Amino acid sequence: MHKHRIIYMKYLHIIFYLITLCAVILSTSCVSNPYPHGEVPEGFALIQEDAFETGYWTSISPEGVKYRLRVVENKPLQSLDFWSRSLTAEMTRRGFINKGTPFLLDEESIWGAEWVVPQGSEDYLFLTALKVEGGNILIAEAAGPTNIFMEYRQDILDALEKAEVVEK
Amino acid sequence: MRNFQPKVPLLLILIFVSMSISPQDGATQTLSISALVAEPAGSVTRLVSFAEEHGGYFLTTTFQRVILRLPMAEIASFRTFLEEEALEILNYQQISRDVTQEKAEALAALSARREILERNLEFLDRADVNGTLAIEREVTYLLNEIEAISGRILTYDVDTKYALVTVQLAFQGTTLPPSGGSSFGWINTVDPYSFIGGSY
């Protein structure tokens, strides 16, 4: 009995080490790593699908209209209404003009707005859309020369409804 | 030979022409407008379409400027259209000028020169060599003058029929304030210029 006790004491530090290791592994696996995922708009090509590593999910049209998804932490924890108003205030302060009126998609879970951006001798349209998913905010951005962007606008909006935050 | 004396028929023509053109018919309208728009390129296209649909035409279009000719009767509807198209009309200046007198004088001058031309041509048959050369010089001079005056009258006709409209289109804030003004970090990362010009 005494002999067994000595063996137990001898290996106690190893047991303790193993328990700690298991705890670290478990805790690491529980920490979520959110990244964006979406559907490629009609006529676009997916050029950046390693969102888990880069944080960006990007697709592009033959003419260069870009559609990108990314995820940021919803910190401080706020609603879609709060963030949409904050973004609008900042874009307006910077002098950008809203084209049309902001829109809501997917049962009002996605808020979006389009901004006119002068670029050289051309007018670009810059779309921003937000979706709040718990502790994350999914940000969608798309831009291109106005006339070309308008050709893809509906395809982008359709794809926008399929955009999501994936937790790994 | 160039210093001709006005005759009674010429004065009568002058009086007749003055009476036949009412001040309203002889007024030109020049509009100089500055407007703030969301997208100048699109607005230029729509302004040109408006002019063409309402019996006018465009003279010049650039990225932020358009010069139109509009029928006088369409000025009011154009103003309404512009108020809908623009975010704000920064400047709207309408200048009216009565060219009745100028046109009447041009018509009288034209008539007089034509009369002298006819008389010169009548002399041509009876003139010797030196006289023929002198008459030819005079005829050339008169033809040039008649052409110039006819052109001026044509311009008066266009000016009194169509208003000249110059629209200067402007953007809000030609120099944009810097980004980074939001208290929330991620909002400052929403930058259209970086997105358009940057990598993926």
Side-chain angles (χ1 to χ4, degrees):
Chain A
M1 184 70 184
H2 181 70
K3 193 183 172 185
H4 283 151
R5 197 167 186 174
I6 290 168
I7 292 168
Y8 176 74
M9 290 298 285
K10 192 179 176 183
Y11 292 104
L12 184 63
H13 70 283
I14 296 171
I15 293 164
F16 180 75
Y17 172 76
L18 286 171
I19 291 168
T20 310
L21 190 67
C22 287
V24 168
I25 291 168
L26 277 171
S27 63
T28 308
S29 65
C30 286
V31 171
S32 62
N33 184 14
Y35 64 96
H37 186 261
E39 189 180 274
V40 180
E42 183 78 32
F44 279 55
L46 184 63
I47 56 166
Q48 197 174 33
E49 53 186 325
D50 52 348
F52 177 67
E53 291 168 16
T54 62
Y56 295 106
W57 184 97
T58 312
S59 61
I60 200 159
S61 81
E63 300 87 351
V65 176
K66 204 194 300 182
Y67 170 63
R68 184 177 77 178
L69 301 174
R70 59 194 173 107
V71 177
V72 293
E73 193 180 354
N74 184 4
K75 191 180 175 183
L77 197 67
Q78 287 294 338
S79 64
L80 181 66
D81 180 57
F82 178 90
W83 290 123
S84 62
R85 281 165 50 201
S86 299
L87 182 60
T88 302
E90 174 59 15
M91 293 295 278
T92 308
R93 189 197 66 79
R94 283 190 235 164
F96 293 107
I97 296 167
N98 224 323
K99 181 179 166 61
T101 48
F103 55 86
L104 290 165
L105 294 174
D106 197 22
E107 297 175 348
E108 303 191 355
S109 66
I110 299 170
W111 170 91
E114 287 151 297
W115 309 90
V116 179
V117 179
Q119 179 83 344
S121 61
E122 280 186 298
D123 290 337
Y124 272 61
L125 269 187
F126 177 58
L127 179 146
T128 50
L130 305 175
K131 185 178 188 180
V132 173
E133 289 191 4
N136 300 306
I137 305 169
L138 177 71
I139 304 168
E141 294 157 298
T146 302
N147 53 341
I148 301 171
F149 183 91
M150 292 310 285
E151 287 177 25
Y152 290 108
R153 186 177 181 274
Q154 194 52 53
D155 298 317
I156 291 169
L157 294 183
D158 291 343
L160 202 53
E161 295 197 79
K162 308 281 178 6
E164 59 182 352
V165 178
V166 179
E167 304 252 4
K168 188 171 182 181
Chain B
M1 209 176 238
R2 288 173 192 174
N3 297 326
F4 56 89
Q5 293 291 319
K7 290 185 172 181
V8 175
L10 190 63
L11 286 171
L12 285 174
I13 291 167
L14 188 69
I15 293 162
F16 173 74
V17 168
S18 297
M19 287 169 67
S20 63
I21 304 169
S22 67
Q24 199 179 2
D25 292 337
T28 65
Q29 300 286 346
T30 308
L31 280 78
S32 300
I33 304 162
S34 299
L36 190 70
V37 294
E39 37 166 350
S43 293
V44 165
T45 310
R46 287 187 285 277
L47 289 172
V48 169
S49 301
F50 177 90
E52 288 173 346
E53 284 164 14
H54 291 77
Y57 54 96
F58 75 92
L59 298 175
T60 312
T61 60
T62 61
F63 173 55
Q64 288 185 327
R65 196 167 76 128
V66 60
I67 302 176
L68 306 167
R69 281 286 194 183
L70 275 178
M72 294 294 183
E74 298 296 336
I75 292 175
S77 59
F78 180 72
R79 167 118 204 196
T80 311
F81 172 75
L82 200 64
E83 280 168 356
E84 288 169 7
E85 179 68 30
L87 296 168
E88 190 183 343
I89 294 176
L90 304 170
N91 178 44
Y92 190 97
Q93 192 179 31
Q94 186 169 352
I95 298 169
S96 182
R97 193 167 73 92
D98 192 348
V99 292
T100 310
Q101 187 64 29
E102 290 166 44
K103 188 178 175 184
E105 283 171 7
L107 284 169
L110 182 68
S111 177
R113 277 153 185 74
R114 278 182 179 154
E115 197 181 322
I116 297 165
L117 179 67
E118 274 176 31
R119 211 178 314 148
N120 275 329
L121 291 173
E122 281 170 18
F123 287 143
L124 199 60
D125 295 338
R126 287 173 278 162
D128 57 7
V129 177
N130 286 337
T132 306
L133 288 172
I135 291 169
E136 270 181 4
R137 276 200 301 274
E138 186 65 21
V139 166
T140 308
Y141 174 79
L142 284 168
L143 285 172
N144 285 340
E145 278 212 319
I146 286 169
E147 219 167 274
I149 296 168
S150 301
R152 224 160 66 215
I153 292 168
L154 204 65
T155 307
Y156 288 137
D157 287 341
V158 174
D159 285 349
T160 50
K161 198 175 169 191
Y162 295 97
L164 182 67
V165 184
T166 305
V167 186
Q168 190 73 38
L169 301 165
F171 255 116
Q172 191 174 31
T174 47
T175 54
L176 297 171
S179 55
S182 176
S183 307
F184 308 110
W186 72 262
I187 287 184
N188 294 325
T189 66
V190 179
D191 182 2
Y193 289 110
S194 301
F195 181 74
I196 292 165
S199 56
Y200 313 123

